[in-house]
Amino acid sequence: MANILIPLPSRDFDPTEAAVPWQILRAAGHNIAFATPDGLPAEADPRMLHGTGLGLLAPMLRADANARRAYADMASSAEFRQPLRYDDIVDDAVDAVLLPGGHAPGMRPYLESERLHALVADSFRCQRPLAAICHGVLLAARSRDASGRSVLHGRRTTALTAQMELSAWNLTRLWLGDYYRTYALTVEAEVTALLAEPSDFLRGPQSLLRDKPDKLSRGFVVRDGHYLSARWPGDAHRLGHAFATLLAEHS
């Protein structure tokens, strides 16, 4: 079984994108560790967990019942309550990496972490299995190989699409401002600019419904060798199962 590392920011990560794959991978027998900047347990984005401040849009935008149950289990687990510090990560002890996303301001230290960029770069150099979802793909794209190019240069990927990001922003900006805009550039725009060809970014089908344990076909993932990517919380079940398959093949 693989030793999987899930780095998280101190706060504001998306609960679905961390907890659903965690639940699937743990059920498959893998060992999972978490890491945060200060070695203290991370806190999920409360809006995505509880729907706080989302009003009538809460049922559509927050974590669904499956994800909330998975998050409750994850948050009470020993590995989540006792994370590593980023600076204490030993790359050689990690067999695989999962990069969840999130869009609230607390995500920035995670997305901009030089230590995590180095971990991702090492994972691509060693062909260590790595999965990223939503803004987690942005973290991967910002990681550079020895030539100075993004590790995603020459690879196919998906990520949070501009349509998804801007739709959520336009629906909520009257009262939440730029809550759904982590940076001035959309995730799709920044990631695509770092790829070898714009066509290497795959948007997938339009998705209004989230995937579920019995409806994996609703999700969308892109696999390129040892690298997996997905777009939004609605792809989290599909990503978890695809990563479990990749890990089984890798072993």
Side-chain angles (χ1 to χ4, degrees):
M1 292 294 101
N3 294 316
I4 303 170
L5 179 69
I6 304 179
L8 294 172
S10 295
R11 61 184 177 90
D12 285 347
F13 69 92
D14 186 273
T16 303
E17 294 170 1
V20 166
W22 168 85
Q23 184 181 59
I24 293 166
L25 295 167
R26 196 186 200 208
H30 297 292
N31 302 312
I32 302 173
F34 292 88
T36 62
D38 53 9
L40 297 176
E43 297 180 11
D45 182 346
R47 284 200 174 105
M48 292 297 95
L49 189 57
H50 305 296
T52 307
L54 295 176
L56 295 176
L57 297 174
M60 178 175 66
L61 297 177
R62 74 175 181 183
D64 65 13
N66 284 321
R68 294 196 301 275
R69 285 192 293 269
Y71 178 79
D73 288 344
M74 183 183 77
S76 64
S77 69
E79 58 266 33
F80 185 85
R81 294 168 64 85
Q82 298 175 344
L84 300 166
R85 293 171 63 248
Y86 286 175
D87 288 343
D88 293 334
I89 297 170
V90 178
D91 292 13
D92 290 346
V94 177
D95 298 323
V97 177
L98 172 66
L99 302 176
H103 51 266
M107 286 292 294
R108 287 192 175 195
Y110 164 81
L111 298 172
E112 298 167 9
S113 169
E114 292 183 3
R115 178 65 190 94
L116 296 186
H117 293 164
L119 171 69
V120 172
D122 186 67
S123 296
F124 275 79
R125 181 182 63 80
C126 298
Q127 297 192 357
R128 180 183 297 131
L130 185 143
I133 180 170
C134 194
H135 283 64
V137 178
L138 183 56
L139 193 163
R142 289 176 171 180
S143 304
R144 306 284 176 159
D145 62 19
S147 72
R149 295 189 304 192
S150 168
V151 296
L152 298 188
H153 188 91
R155 293 185 179 271
R156 297 187 310 152
T157 190
T158 191
L160 181 67
T161 67
Q163 181 183 30
M164 289 176 170
E165 185 172 354
L166 295 176
S167 293
W169 176 62
N170 281 315
L171 284 170
T172 61
R173 63 176 172 164
L174 286 179
W175 70 96
L176 294 182
D178 288 338
Y179 165 69
Y180 269 100
R181 298 296 305 278
T182 314
Y183 297 99
L185 280 179
T186 64
V187 170
E188 178 179 340
E190 184 172 346
V191 170
T192 301
L194 295 168
L195 303 179
E197 300 289 343
S199 59
D200 288 338
F201 188 94
L202 305 179
R203 296 182 182 88
Q206 284 194 329
S207 298
L208 296 176
L209 298 175
R210 298 178 183 228
D211 64 9
K212 296 182 177 181
D214 60 344
K215 291 185 171 66
L216 295 181
S217 61
R218 291 179 179 174
F220 177 73
V221 299
V222 173
R223 179 173 174 180
D224 190 325
H226 63 91
Y227 167 63
L228 272 174
S229 56
R231 303 167 301 177
W232 72 304
D235 298 331
H237 288 89
R238 181 82 176 266
L239 180 73
H241 285 287
F243 202 32
T245 297
L246 189 160
L247 291 170
E249 294 175 3
H250 189 78
S251 65

mmCIF file of all heavy atoms in Angstrom, residues 2 24 35 38 60 75 103 109 134 141 150-151 168 178 180 183 188 192 214 230 232 244 247 249:
data_model
loop_
_atom_site.group_PDB
_atom_site.id
_atom_site.type_symbol
_atom_site.label_atom_id
_atom_site.label_comp_id
_atom_site.label_asym_id
_atom_site.label_seq_id
_atom_site.Cartn_x
_atom_site.Cartn_y
_atom_site.Cartn_z
ATOM 1 N N ALA A 2 0.383 2.309 -0.583
ATOM 2 C CA ALA A 2 1.160 3.528 -0.752
ATOM 3 C C ALA A 2 1.071 4.440 0.465
ATOM 4 O O ALA A 2 0.062 4.456 1.182
ATOM 5 C CB ALA A 2 0.670 4.283 -1.983
ATOM 6 N N ILE A 24 -11.925 7.426 -0.032
ATOM 7 C CA ILE A 24 -11.780 6.356 -1.024
ATOM 8 C C ILE A 24 -10.411 5.689 -0.905
ATOM 9 O O ILE A 24 -10.301 4.454 -0.909
ATOM 10 C CB ILE A 24 -11.998 6.922 -2.433
ATOM 11 C CG1 ILE A 24 -13.451 7.363 -2.602
ATOM 12 C CG2 ILE A 24 -11.609 5.899 -3.506
ATOM 13 C CD1 ILE A 24 -13.694 8.227 -3.824
ATOM 14 N N ALA A 35 -0.168 17.428 5.760
ATOM 15 C CA ALA A 35 0.854 18.419 6.099
ATOM 16 C C ALA A 35 0.239 19.802 6.007
ATOM 17 O O ALA A 35 -0.555 20.079 5.095
ATOM 18 C CB ALA A 35 2.055 18.310 5.167
ATOM 19 N N ASP A 38 2.143 24.956 9.614
ATOM 20 C CA ASP A 38 2.634 25.019 10.994
ATOM 21 C C ASP A 38 2.470 23.719 11.772
ATOM 22 O O ASP A 38 2.760 23.664 12.960
ATOM 23 C CB ASP A 38 1.921 26.144 11.747
ATOM 24 C CG ASP A 38 0.398 26.040 11.658
ATOM 25 O OD1 ASP A 38 -0.096 25.004 11.168
ATOM 26 O OD2 ASP A 38 -0.282 27.004 12.069
ATOM 27 N N MET A 60 -26.549 24.305 -3.778
ATOM 28 C CA MET A 60 -25.839 24.048 -5.033
ATOM 29 C C MET A 60 -24.328 24.173 -4.867
ATOM 30 O O MET A 60 -23.565 23.418 -5.488
ATOM 31 C CB MET A 60 -26.309 25.039 -6.106
ATOM 32 C CG MET A 60 -25.605 24.914 -7.443
ATOM 33 S SD MET A 60 -26.280 25.985 -8.717
ATOM 34 C CE MET A 60 -25.863 27.605 -8.069
ATOM 35 N N ALA A 75 -11.897 14.684 9.576
ATOM 36 C CA ALA A 75 -11.521 15.661 10.591
ATOM 37 C C ALA A 75 -11.303 15.025 11.958
ATOM 38 O O ALA A 75 -10.577 15.583 12.787
ATOM 39 C CB ALA A 75 -12.586 16.749 10.689
ATOM 40 N N HIS A 103 -10.747 28.049 -2.930
ATOM 41 C CA HIS A 103 -10.607 29.331 -3.613
ATOM 42 C C HIS A 103 -10.569 30.534 -2.679
ATOM 43 O O HIS A 103 -10.256 31.636 -3.116
ATOM 44 C CB HIS A 103 -11.772 29.522 -4.603
ATOM 45 C CG HIS A 103 -13.102 29.308 -3.969
ATOM 46 N ND1 HIS A 103 -13.748 28.090 -4.008
ATOM 47 C CD2 HIS A 103 -13.886 30.123 -3.225
ATOM 48 C CE1 HIS A 103 -14.878 28.173 -3.341
ATOM 49 N NE2 HIS A 103 -14.988 29.408 -2.862
ATOM 50 N N PRO A 109 -1.242 30.925 0.758
ATOM 51 C CA PRO A 109 0.052 30.405 1.231
ATOM 52 C C PRO A 109 0.356 28.992 0.729
ATOM 53 O O PRO A 109 1.520 28.643 0.516
ATOM 54 C CB PRO A 109 -0.096 30.447 2.758
ATOM 55 C CG PRO A 109 -1.100 31.515 3.009
ATOM 56 C CD PRO A 109 -2.085 31.388 1.881
ATOM 57 N N CYS A 134 -9.019 21.117 -9.043
ATOM 58 C CA CYS A 134 -9.398 22.520 -8.917
ATOM 59 C C CYS A 134 -8.147 23.403 -8.796
ATOM 60 O O CYS A 134 -7.266 23.364 -9.631
ATOM 61 C CB CYS A 134 -10.347 22.676 -7.734
ATOM 62 S SG CYS A 134 -11.216 24.238 -7.642
ATOM 63 N N ALA A 141 0.925 23.497 -11.537
ATOM 64 C CA ALA A 141 1.382 24.246 -12.701
ATOM 65 C C ALA A 141 2.467 25.254 -12.344
ATOM 66 O O ALA A 141 3.346 25.550 -13.165
ATOM 67 C CB ALA A 141 0.204 24.960 -13.351
ATOM 68 N N SER A 150 7.198 24.883 -16.249
ATOM 69 C CA SER A 150 6.204 24.211 -15.423
ATOM 70 C C SER A 150 6.300 22.704 -15.619
ATOM 71 O O SER A 150 6.541 22.212 -16.727
ATOM 72 C CB SER A 150 4.798 24.679 -15.808
ATOM 73 O OG SER A 150 3.809 23.852 -15.210
ATOM 74 N N VAL A 151 6.092 21.953 -14.535
ATOM 75 C CA VAL A 151 6.095 20.491 -14.651
ATOM 76 C C VAL A 151 4.944 20.002 -15.531
ATOM 77 O O VAL A 151 4.951 18.851 -15.993
ATOM 78 C CB VAL A 151 6.016 19.817 -13.263
ATOM 79 C CG1 VAL A 151 7.249 20.127 -12.437
ATOM 80 C CG2 VAL A 151 4.738 20.199 -12.518
ATOM 81 N N ALA A 168 -19.627 31.070 -10.676
ATOM 82 C CA ALA A 168 -19.792 31.156 -9.225
ATOM 83 C C ALA A 168 -19.547 32.579 -8.734
ATOM 84 O O ALA A 168 -20.246 33.082 -7.837
ATOM 85 C CB ALA A 168 -18.844 30.180 -8.536
ATOM 86 N N ASP A 178 -15.159 39.317 -4.157
ATOM 87 C CA ASP A 178 -14.267 38.445 -4.933
ATOM 88 C C ASP A 178 -13.962 37.128 -4.225
ATOM 89 O O ASP A 178 -12.919 36.513 -4.485
ATOM 90 C CB ASP A 178 -12.957 39.179 -5.242
ATOM 91 C CG ASP A 178 -13.146 40.260 -6.287
ATOM 92 O OD1 ASP A 178 -14.128 40.174 -7.060
ATOM 93 O OD2 ASP A 178 -12.331 41.193 -6.340
ATOM 94 N N TYR A 180 -14.935 34.221 -4.745
ATOM 95 C CA TYR A 180 -14.675 33.129 -5.690
ATOM 96 C C TYR A 180 -13.522 33.425 -6.649
ATOM 97 O O TYR A 180 -13.236 32.628 -7.525
ATOM 98 C CB TYR A 180 -15.938 32.806 -6.498
ATOM 99 C CG TYR A 180 -16.789 31.740 -5.850
ATOM 100 C CD1 TYR A 180 -17.919 32.076 -5.116
ATOM 101 C CD2 TYR A 180 -16.461 30.392 -5.965
ATOM 102 C CE1 TYR A 180 -18.701 31.102 -4.528
ATOM 103 C CE2 TYR A 180 -17.237 29.413 -5.380
ATOM 104 C CZ TYR A 180 -18.351 29.769 -4.652
ATOM 105 O OH TYR A 180 -19.123 28.795 -4.059
ATOM 106 N N TYR A 183 -7.338 34.867 -7.532
ATOM 107 C CA TYR A 183 -6.393 35.753 -8.201
ATOM 108 C C TYR A 183 -7.112 36.474 -9.341
ATOM 109 O O TYR A 183 -8.225 36.084 -9.736
ATOM 110 C CB TYR A 183 -5.205 34.971 -8.761
ATOM 111 C CG TYR A 183 -4.380 34.279 -7.710
ATOM 112 C CD1 TYR A 183 -4.544 32.918 -7.443
ATOM 113 C CD2 TYR A 183 -3.429 34.973 -6.970
ATOM 114 C CE1 TYR A 183 -3.778 32.279 -6.475
ATOM 115 C CE2 TYR A 183 -2.658 34.342 -5.998
ATOM 116 C CZ TYR A 183 -2.850 32.996 -5.756
ATOM 117 O OH TYR A 183 -2.098 32.367 -4.793
ATOM 118 N N GLU A 188 -7.967 28.606 -15.094
ATOM 119 C CA GLU A 188 -7.769 28.101 -16.458
ATOM 120 C C GLU A 188 -6.772 28.955 -17.224
ATOM 121 O O GLU A 188 -5.891 28.420 -17.918
ATOM 122 C CB GLU A 188 -9.101 28.071 -17.201
ATOM 123 C CG GLU A 188 -8.954 27.602 -18.645
ATOM 124 C CD GLU A 188 -10.263 27.544 -19.407
ATOM 125 O OE1 GLU A 188 -11.339 27.490 -18.768
ATOM 126 O OE2 GLU A 188 -10.202 27.551 -20.652
ATOM 127 N N THR A 192 -3.272 27.320 -18.405
ATOM 128 C CA THR A 192 -3.115 27.173 -19.852
ATOM 129 C C THR A 192 -1.872 27.896 -20.361
ATOM 130 O O THR A 192 -1.164 27.407 -21.254
ATOM 131 C CB THR A 192 -4.361 27.692 -20.582
ATOM 132 O OG1 THR A 192 -5.503 26.953 -20.138
ATOM 133 C CG2 THR A 192 -4.222 27.532 -22.088
ATOM 134 N N ASP A 214 -22.328 6.168 -6.592
ATOM 135 C CA ASP A 214 -23.002 5.338 -7.597
ATOM 136 C C ASP A 214 -23.222 6.067 -8.921
ATOM 137 O O ASP A 214 -23.911 5.572 -9.801
ATOM 138 C CB ASP A 214 -24.344 4.839 -7.058
ATOM 139 C CG ASP A 214 -25.291 5.981 -6.685
ATOM 140 O OD1 ASP A 214 -24.801 7.126 -6.548
ATOM 141 O OD2 ASP A 214 -26.499 5.729 -6.525
ATOM 142 N N ALA A 230 -8.470 16.958 -12.015
ATOM 143 C CA ALA A 230 -9.919 17.103 -12.043
ATOM 144 C C ALA A 230 -10.261 18.570 -11.833
ATOM 145 O O ALA A 230 -9.397 19.382 -11.506
ATOM 146 C CB ALA A 230 -10.572 16.225 -10.976
ATOM 147 N N TRP A 232 -13.420 20.269 -10.194
ATOM 148 C CA TRP A 232 -14.200 20.906 -9.127
ATOM 149 C C TRP A 232 -14.683 19.823 -8.163
ATOM 150 O O TRP A 232 -14.452 18.619 -8.403
ATOM 151 C CB TRP A 232 -15.359 21.702 -9.734
ATOM 152 C CG TRP A 232 -16.481 20.865 -10.314
ATOM 153 C CD1 TRP A 232 -16.386 19.899 -11.276
ATOM 154 C CD2 TRP A 232 -17.879 20.941 -9.972
ATOM 155 N NE1 TRP A 232 -17.630 19.363 -11.551
ATOM 156 C CE2 TRP A 232 -18.563 19.989 -10.780
ATOM 157 C CE3 TRP A 232 -18.611 21.726 -9.090
ATOM 158 C CZ2 TRP A 232 -19.940 19.800 -10.706
ATOM 159 C CZ3 TRP A 232 -19.996 21.539 -9.022
ATOM 160 C CH2 TRP A 232 -20.642 20.590 -9.824
ATOM 161 N N ALA A 244 -6.887 5.661 -7.034
ATOM 162 C CA ALA A 244 -6.701 4.320 -6.481
ATOM 163 C C ALA A 244 -6.280 3.338 -7.572
ATOM 164 O O ALA A 244 -5.407 2.485 -7.354
ATOM 165 C CB ALA A 244 -7.986 3.852 -5.802
ATOM 166 N N LEU A 247 -2.621 4.051 -8.512
ATOM 167 C CA LEU A 247 -1.714 3.546 -7.474
ATOM 168 C C LEU A 247 -1.578 2.024 -7.562
ATOM 169 O O LEU A 247 -0.482 1.479 -7.360
ATOM 170 C CB LEU A 247 -2.210 3.954 -6.100
ATOM 171 C CG LEU A 247 -2.118 5.452 -5.796
ATOM 172 C CD1 LEU A 247 -2.849 5.773 -4.505
ATOM 173 C CD2 LEU A 247 -0.670 5.906 -5.713
ATOM 174 N N GLU A 249 -1.819 0.239 -10.259
ATOM 175 C CA GLU A 249 -0.965 -0.039 -11.415
ATOM 176 C C GLU A 249 0.490 0.295 -11.125
ATOM 177 O O GLU A 249 1.398 -0.422 -11.540
ATOM 178 C CB GLU A 249 -1.456 0.792 -12.617
ATOM 179 C CG GLU A 249 -2.822 0.406 -13.117
ATOM 180 C CD GLU A 249 -3.322 1.333 -14.219
ATOM 181 O OE1 GLU A 249 -2.553 2.238 -14.608
ATOM 182 O OE2 GLU A 249 -4.464 1.148 -14.667
#
